[in-house]
Amino acid sequence: MLRSSDRCKNVFQHLPVVAFRRSLNLRDLLVTANISSNSSNPQLPSGSFRCGKNCATCPYISHGLTTYTFISTGETHPKKSNLTRCETKNLIYMIQCNRCNLQYKGETKRRLKDRFNEHRRTINNPNNKSKPTTASEHFLSSPNHTANDMQLIPIEKIFSNRDCIRKAREAFLIQKGRTIDPDGLNIREETY
């Protein structure tokens, strides 16, 4: 057709290439065919590790810890997820008093270092206008206790962004580890 007219022959000296590409369908949008290779993305070990930066939270983190123990029950559990840094978000954590062997379990959707600094800041600066946290009240009211007696143990990363999932898991671990006062530092029983 392009060669039948002299005018078309002048405009299209070389025949154009005609190609067809179908548009994306629903399957193309929902399913990805990319398979990640383990060699390019190595699996990091489970446990808690310090970030290696000069942050105020990392000295309190139990570096390389792959298990955690509920002191009230004596149960030891393996860590299932990799909590490599103090910047991990959306997790359950435990603060342990190294003098009394009492434990507090908490949850946060923010970075672990931001939440832990709230506990630590009220102990180091009791005149701070912010309300003391439940865990920091123990260190403020007990004789010879300082922030250096705290041990921060990240327990479990929560992979759902729903607050109710994280709070339910915290409540379950509080009950399982029996950290309600007087056996621990949590003051109220969470429901799940």
Side-chain angles (χ1 to χ4, degrees), residues 15-120:
L15 290 176
V17 176
V18 179
F20 171 76
R21 180 177 179 183
R22 71 173 175 84
S23 59
L24 296 176
N25 61 24
L26 188 58
R27 181 176 182 261
D28 295 331
L29 296 172
L30 296 177
V31 178
T32 60
N34 297 338
I35 299 172
S36 62
S37 167
N38 284 343
S39 61
S40 64
N41 188 10
Q43 182 68 24
L44 296 171
S46 295
S48 56
F49 302 94
R50 295 181 180 154
C51 69
K53 300 174 186 170
N54 190 19
C55 77
T57 301
C58 282
Y60 298 94
I61 293 178
S62 302
H63 182 72
L65 195 66
T66 58
T67 61
Y68 59 93
T69 302
F70 297 143
I71 292 176
S72 295
T73 63
E75 294 177 19
T76 299
H77 300 277
K79 291 190 176 194
K80 297 175 184 161
S81 55
N82 180 339
L83 305 168
T84 56
R85 302 182 317 164
C86 52
E87 295 186 3
T88 303
K89 295 180 181 180
N90 209 31
L91 71 143
I92 312 294
Y93 63 92
M94 182 166 58
I95 294 176
Q96 182 172 309
C97 175
N98 291 329
R99 287 190 180 264
C100 306
N101 284 334
L102 293 176
Q103 295 174 325
Y104 167 85
K105 290 186 189 73
E107 56 84 21
T108 184
K109 68 179 172 182
R110 298 178 295 150
R111 295 183 309 175
L112 178 61
K113 71 183 336 178
D114 295 336
R115 179 64 179 126
F116 181 72
N117 283 338
E118 291 174 355
H119 294 293
R120 188 180 52 79

Side-chain angles (χ1 to χ4, degrees), residues 117-168:
N117 283 338
E118 291 174 355
H119 294 293
R120 188 180 52 79
R121 198 174 9 241
T122 53
I123 297 167
N124 289 340
N125 187 8
N127 298 328
N128 192 346
K129 296 187 190 256
S130 61
K131 183 178 183 258
T133 64
T134 304
S136 64
E137 283 179 1
H138 168 77
F139 292 90
L140 290 169
S141 63
S142 301
N144 300 324
H145 281 58
T146 67
N148 293 333
D149 298 317
M150 285 194 297
Q151 182 179 13
L152 176 60
I153 304 167
I155 295 179
E156 186 175 309
K157 171 132 177 72
I158 306 298
F159 292 100
S160 170
N161 288 329
R162 295 175 52 203
D163 290 347
C164 62
I165 302 288
R166 188 181 59 257
K167 290 179 184 296

